[in-house]
């Protein structure tokens, strides 16, 4: 059973399939003293506060968690919570009471949480407007006191559970359900949760050990962020976080798929497909998908050809649906070629930094509709992958056509955006140079072996200037635009690290690739799996439980272990 405890301020306590977690993080960058049951069905909403008490007042007891259980206090004064199912949280206590209170004190006809005692089964029920679900509290042992049942307006609404030894279960329900009957003892519930996590970690990171001290926690971040199919999420999906970044964005999902591929291939394929399930009739992918919405006002960069080529090598038995993947990738690529190229101009453009995934990067500072070299490079890889897939499917003519398109896009990248010494970005409207000192303009390194030698050498030299002791700064630290917490104007990000490291290896710059990998792994081991990191201090920034950061660590650490094993043999 896993024993490593993690900070609940950093990483929420949750379980695969669950749409809720337990955490002190109740909104964007908002931390409370008490742990809350927090839902992610219709955005992030704190539903219930979980407050340990002693003698009718709040008990100041520390809380910590392992993948198997969350515990307040210790010894004869402790409360322990564990998931009996994705929608059922069992909580057992001794020597402490627990106040389960509606997080929002005000109930209106359209917002808040209504609370009542159900005369049919005897449970207490909280019904939440924000999540559209009910949260039923059933006392399995001990005593319960109801506060504010059926109250309207502003009032406390709570269940206070007490007794020397007691147990309750909180269920998330869409409607009515038979009374809860415990299928197992509390200790068995904890043991089952621990065993489930261990099996996942053994499959996803069987290589983990002393040289990879963050691997088990990275596995937990992914494992606990899985949600069951519901709403617009039609498959088991890994949210980017069960803090406030609780969506599936249309490039983030690729990294999670890659990290899961070898050990959990079915779940990995679901990650790749969950966004393609919402591909439109022009081939565009949505910006993001959640339980309650599909956003289409932006897209994300076409890294899917790159990702698919890596998945083919990592998934046992290869792609499960090569024909489907080929058609999806062809439509996605055609969208860029037909709808994101100015007539007569061979290079595609983004309509906003959000399309690139680098929302506020400096190439978008003056104008937003910009031709950037990363986009052309990604399309070269995507077209190359389409050629390979077409050939495997026996479509020789299509394969030749895609190869010609790839060659043409590479030639256009070099002709339009290479100035003889470096890549630049250009206004889609005027062609004026928009470049600066952003790492974005070094991203053609992803082309690796496809690059001319002089271009490759220039990119490697430029990347050296962005590499700090922490990792690849997204804006060169000497730049006037550099900001320590400037989102894409300085901090180190996981997806960029993985893409650049892969490109460097294929370009033959192995030493630099090794340093990029090692420094990123080191910052994860020091600062956890934050959305991004201060490029000079390594401090974790923004959302602190980001799955693509955990996925990147697993990808880089697993590859490093494989190289180490090979060198030892």
């Amino acid at each position: 059973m896993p024993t490593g405890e993690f900070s609940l301020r950093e990483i929420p306590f949750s379980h695969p399939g669950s749409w809720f977690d337990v955490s002190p993080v109740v909104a964007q960058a908002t931390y409370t003293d008490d742990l809350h049951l927090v839902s992610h069905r219709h955005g992030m909403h704190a539903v219930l506060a979980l407050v340990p008490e002693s003698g009718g007042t709040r008990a100041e007891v520390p809380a910590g968690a392992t993948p198997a259980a969350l515990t307040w206090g210790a010894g004869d004064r402790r409360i322990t919570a564990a998931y009996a199912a994705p929608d059922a949280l069992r909580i057992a206590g001794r020597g402490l009471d627990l106040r389960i209170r509606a997080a929002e004190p005000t109930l209106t006809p359209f917002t808040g949480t209504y609370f009542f005692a159900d005369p049919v089964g005897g449970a207490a029920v909280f019904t939440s407007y924000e999540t559209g679900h009910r949260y039923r509290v059933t006392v399995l042992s001990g005593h319960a006191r109801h506060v504010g049942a059926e109250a309207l307006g502003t009032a406390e609404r709570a269940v206070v559970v007490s007794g020397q030894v007691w147990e309750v279960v909180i269920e998330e329900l869409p409607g009515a359900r038979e009374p809860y009957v415990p299928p197992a003892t509390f200790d068995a519930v904890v043991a089952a949760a621990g065993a489930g996590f261990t099996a996942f970690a053994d499959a996803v990171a069987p290589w983990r050990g002393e040289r990879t001290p963050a691997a088990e926690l990275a596995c937990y971040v992914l494992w606990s962020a899985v949600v069951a199919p519901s709403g617009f999420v039609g498959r088991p999906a890994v949210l980017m976080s069960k803090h406030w970044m609780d969506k599936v964005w249309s490039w983030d999902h690729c990294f999670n798929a890659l990290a899961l591929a070898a050990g959990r291939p079915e779940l990995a394929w679901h990650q790749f497909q969950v966004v393609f399930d919402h591909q439109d009739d022009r081939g565009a992918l949505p910006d993001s998908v959640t339980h309650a919405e599909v956003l289409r006002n932006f897209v994300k960069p076409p890294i899917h050809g790159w990702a698919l080529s890596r998945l083919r090598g990592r998934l046992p038995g290869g792609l499960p649906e090569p024909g489907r993947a080929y058609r999806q990738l062809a439509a996605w690529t055609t969208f860029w070629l037909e709808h994101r190229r100015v007539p007569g101009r061979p290079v595609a453009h983004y309509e906003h930094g959000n399309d690139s995934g680098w929302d506020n990067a400096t190439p978008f500072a003056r104008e937003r509709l910009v031709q950037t070299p990363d986009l052309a490079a990604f399309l070269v890889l995507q077209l190359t992958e389409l050629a390979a897939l077409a050939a495997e499917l026996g479509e020789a003519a299509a394969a030749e056509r895609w190869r010609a398109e790839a060659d043409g896009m590479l030639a256009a990248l070099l002709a339009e955006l290479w100035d003889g010494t470096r890549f630049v970005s250009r206004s889609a409207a005027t062609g004026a140079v928009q470049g600066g000192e952003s790492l974005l303009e070094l991203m053609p390194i992803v082309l690796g072996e496809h690059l001319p030698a002089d271009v490759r050498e220039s990119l490697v030299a430029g990347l050296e200037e962005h590499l700090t002791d922490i990792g690849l700064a997204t804006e060169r630290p000497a730049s006037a635009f550099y900001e320590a917490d400037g989102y894409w104007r300085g901090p180190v990000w996981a997806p960029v690290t993985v893409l650049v490291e892969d490109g460097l290896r294929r370009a033959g710059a192995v030493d630099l690739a090794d340093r990029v990998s090692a420094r990123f792994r080191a910052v994860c081991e020091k600062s956890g799996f934050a959305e991004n990191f201060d490029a000079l201090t390594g401090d974790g920034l923004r959302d602190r439980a980001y799955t693509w950061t955990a996925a990147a660590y697993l990808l880089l650490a697993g590859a490093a272990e494989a190289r180490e094993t090979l060198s030892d043999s």
Side-chain angles (χ1 to χ4, degrees), residues 14 17 29 100 149 165 167 192 245 265 273 314 447 451 495 503 541:
S14 194
I100 303 169
V165 177
E167 184 180 346
M245 299 295 282
Q273 287 293 313
R314 295 178 70 86
L447 290 169
L451 292 166
L541 304 173

Side-chain angles (χ1 to χ4, degrees), residues 12-21 40-41 83 85-87 172 196-197 200 204 218-230 233 235-243 246-248 256-257 260 264 266-268 270-271 274 545-547:
F13 178 68
S14 194
H15 191 81
S18 182
W19 280 90
F20 66 84
D21 63 74
H40 299 276
R41 287 189 180 275
Y83 280 84
D87 60 358
E172 182 186 56
F197 170 70
F200 178 89
V204 171
C219 288
Y220 175 74
V221 170
L222 286 171
W223 181 78
S224 64
V226 175
V227 292
S230 188
V233 178
R235 302 164 179 268
V238 179
L239 299 181
M240 294 313 104
S241 174
K242 280 186 179 172
H243 286 328
D246 53 355
K247 298 185 177 185
V248 179
N256 289 340
L260 294 168
R264 284 287 185 265
E266 183 177 358
L267 183 59
H270 283 315
Q271 301 326 297
V274 68
Y546 218 78
T547 54

Side-chain angles (χ1 to χ4, degrees), residues 271-289:
Q271 301 326 297
F272 191 76
Q273 287 293 313
V274 68
V275 169
F276 279 98
D277 288 343
H278 297 280
Q279 191 168 28
D280 71 17
D281 58 0
R282 294 294 184 271
L285 296 180
D287 182 45
S288 62
V289 180

Side-chain angles (χ1 to χ4, degrees), residues 275-327:
V275 169
F276 279 98
D277 288 343
H278 297 280
Q279 191 168 28
D280 71 17
D281 58 0
R282 294 294 184 271
L285 296 180
D287 182 45
S288 62
V289 180
T290 70
H291 175 275
E293 66 181 16
V294 178
L295 296 184
R296 299 188 183 276
N297 52 327
F298 296 107
V299 292
K300 284 292 175 276
I303 68 163
H304 303 79
W306 169 85
L308 199 61
S309 69
R310 296 330 178 251
L311 276 174
R312 284 202 291 151
R314 295 178 70 86
L315 286 167
L319 299 182
E321 303 172 277
R324 177 189 179 92
Y326 171 71
R327 292 188 296 274

